[in-house]
C-alpha cells in the first residue's frame, strides 16, 4: 500500500487482493498460531462411547473463523473406516458434516503443527 497518501486513495482499493509473503510474517509467540497453519490439521477429541477409549479422529480443520470472543475451528468430520482408511462424513445431500470447536485453552489441549494435529476435549457427538 505504499504511495497511498489518504483515506480516499485507500478506499478506491477496496475489494483488491492483498497478500503478504510468509517470510514477512513475524514469528508467532508460544501458544499463538497463524490460522492458515491450522487449516488441514487433523482434530482429535473424546468419544462419547465407553468402548472407544482414548482420542478419536473428529475431522480436519477446513477453516478458522472468529465469533468476536475467540477463534472457532470449522472442522469437516471424518472417521476411520473398517479398513483403516480415513473417509469424509457427508450429509444426505453429499455435503461435508461440520463441527465447530472453540479454539480456546479450555478445550484445546495441544497443537502440534509439525504433526498437523490438534487435540481437544470436544466430544464426537456434539
Amino acid at each position: 500500500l505504499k504511495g497511498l497518501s489518504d483515506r480516499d486513495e485507500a478506499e478506491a482499493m477496496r475489494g483488491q487482493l492483498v497478500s503478504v509473503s510468509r517470510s514477512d510474517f513475524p514469528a508467532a509467540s508460544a501458544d499463538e498460531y497463524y490460522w492458515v497453519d491450522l487449516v488441514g490439521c487433523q482434530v482429535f477429541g473424546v468419544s462419547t462411547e465407553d468402548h472407544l477409549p482414548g482420542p478419536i479422529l473428529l475431522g480436519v480443520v477446513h477453516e478458522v473463523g472468529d465469533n468476536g470472543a475467540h477463534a472457532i475451528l470449522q472442522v469437516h468430520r471424518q472417521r476411520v473406516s473398517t479398513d483403516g482408511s480415513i473417509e469424509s462424513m457427508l450429509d444426505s445431500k453429499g455435503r461435508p458434516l461440520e463441527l465447530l470447536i472453540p479454539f480456546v485453552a479450555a478445550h484445546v489441549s495441544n497443537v502440534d503443527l509439525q504433526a498437523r494435529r490438534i487435540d481437544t476435549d470436544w466430544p464426537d457427538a456434539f
Side-chain angles (χ1 to χ4, degrees):
L1 301 177
K2 282 184 181 176
L4 298 181
S5 60
D6 65 34
R7 183 174 190 261
D8 293 331
E9 289 178 1
E11 183 70 29
M13 306 229 14
R14 177 177 241 160
Q16 297 296 311
L17 178 65
V18 176
S19 61
V20 177
S21 172
R22 183 62 187 243
S23 63
D24 292 331
F25 285 22
S29 300
D31 290 334
E32 290 184 344
Y33 305 94
Y34 285 108
W35 289 3
V36 67
D37 293 336
L38 301 175
V39 174
C41 287
Q42 288 185 312
V43 179
F44 290 83
V46 295
S47 175
T48 54
E49 299 179 34
D50 292 336
H51 69 280
L52 294 173
I56 63 164
L57 177 64
L58 296 179
V60 63
V61 177
H62 175 73
E63 192 173 321
V64 183
D66 191 333
N67 70 358
H70 52 74
I72 302 281
L73 301 176
Q74 179 188 26
V75 177
H76 280 189
R77 294 297 313 267
Q78 293 179 324
R79 65 176 161 230
V80 179
S81 68
T82 54
D83 68 0
S85 64
I86 296 173
E87 60 186 22
S88 295
M89 297 170 67
L90 306 174
D91 68 12
S92 61
K93 294 184 178 181
R95 297 174 298 203
L97 290 176
E98 294 181 349
L99 184 62
L100 300 177
I101 301 174
F103 190 65
V104 295
H107 295 294
V108 175
S109 59
N110 184 55
V111 176
D112 185 339
L113 293 178
Q114 285 187 325
R116 308 293 296 146
R117 179 182 174 124
I118 298 172
D119 292 300
T120 178
D121 67 354
W122 209 253
D124 64 339
F126 211 117

